[in-house]
Every structure is written in C-alpha cells, then in structure tokens.
Amino acid sequence: MKFVLSSKIFRATVTEANLAYQGSITIDTDICDKAGFWIGEKVLVVSNTSGARLETYVIPGESGSGVICMNGAAAHLIKEGEEVIIMGFALSDKPIEPKIVFVDKNNKIIKVK
C-alpha cells in the first residue's frame, strides 16, 4: 500500500487568512465537490508564493464564493493573496488517476481533469 495523490486544486488564490479560527482551510464547497475532497479530510497545502507547506483539514465554504481561507496558525504561514496548491492523498494498493481542478485568479473553476 502507498499514499498516492487523489485530488488537487491547482493554483488557487487565498482569499482570506483568519488567525482567530481554531484551524483548518475553508474551501468553496463547489470546488471541494469537483476535486472530490471530503469535509474534514486531511490535505497538504503548498504556497507557490512563499514556499510554505502545511497539513490541515477541509471545512466547507459558501458554494460559488471562491473562498479559500487559511484559518488559525496556518494563517501565519500562508497569507491572503498567495497562490496555493491543495492536495489530498489516498492509501491504495494500485495507481489511481487523481482529480485535478484548475481555477482562475478568482478561484472559478476553468477545467477539471
């Protein structure tokens, strides 16, 4: 068994950073659904802007809003306006084809692979 990439949101823009929240990443539920992310799923978030990498979990954001919000301590590492890649992984005994969601600068879905 190996951990393999199962889902990815490519080049999303962080729309908010909320230090007061307990922790996690808020993602527009439309984008979550297209990527196949589950609410509460552990994800790896990588900033193309700063190089920061962190693990957290998904909480639902308003459908159609384009929200990508770093919450709690993660907001110290990845800030509003940064470009990020959000990845989910699955434990599998064979290769799987990941769902990849491409978004524009406003986090509107432009393509799903």
Side-chain angles (χ1 to χ4, degrees):
M1 303 287 281
K2 294 183 180 189
F3 285 102
V4 295
L5 181 69
S6 61
S7 305
K8 177 163 63 171
I9 301 170
F10 190 67
R11 292 189 173 169
T13 302
V14 175
T15 59
E16 299 173 53
N18 181 356
L19 283 168
Y21 195 81
Q22 295 174 2
S24 63
I25 183 171
T26 305
I27 303 174
D28 176 325
T29 55
D30 288 345
I31 300 171
C32 279
D33 290 346
K34 291 290 185 189
F37 286 130
W38 296 350
I39 302 310
E41 179 177 349
K42 178 179 164 181
V43 292
L44 173 64
V45 184
V46 178
S47 172
N48 285 343
T49 306
S50 68
R53 301 171 70 89
L54 61 93
E55 291 180 339
T56 190
Y57 61 93
V58 175
I59 62 171
E62 182 180 344
S63 176
S65 67
V67 67
I68 303 288
C69 180
M70 301 307 305
N71 296 302
H76 284 293
L77 297 175
I78 300 177
K79 303 186 180 337
E80 183 176 336
E82 291 192 37
E83 182 183 271
V84 295
I85 299 171
I86 305 162
M87 295 169 277
F89 298 86
L91 187 59
S92 179
D93 62 351
K94 60 185 175 231
I96 60 173
E97 185 70 31
K99 288 186 181 180
I100 303 174
V101 176
F102 297 85
V103 295
D104 65 14
K105 297 282 184 200
N106 298 309
N107 297 330
K108 299 301 177 201
I109 297 169
I110 53 176
K111 182 170 114 179
V112 179
K113 180 180 165 192

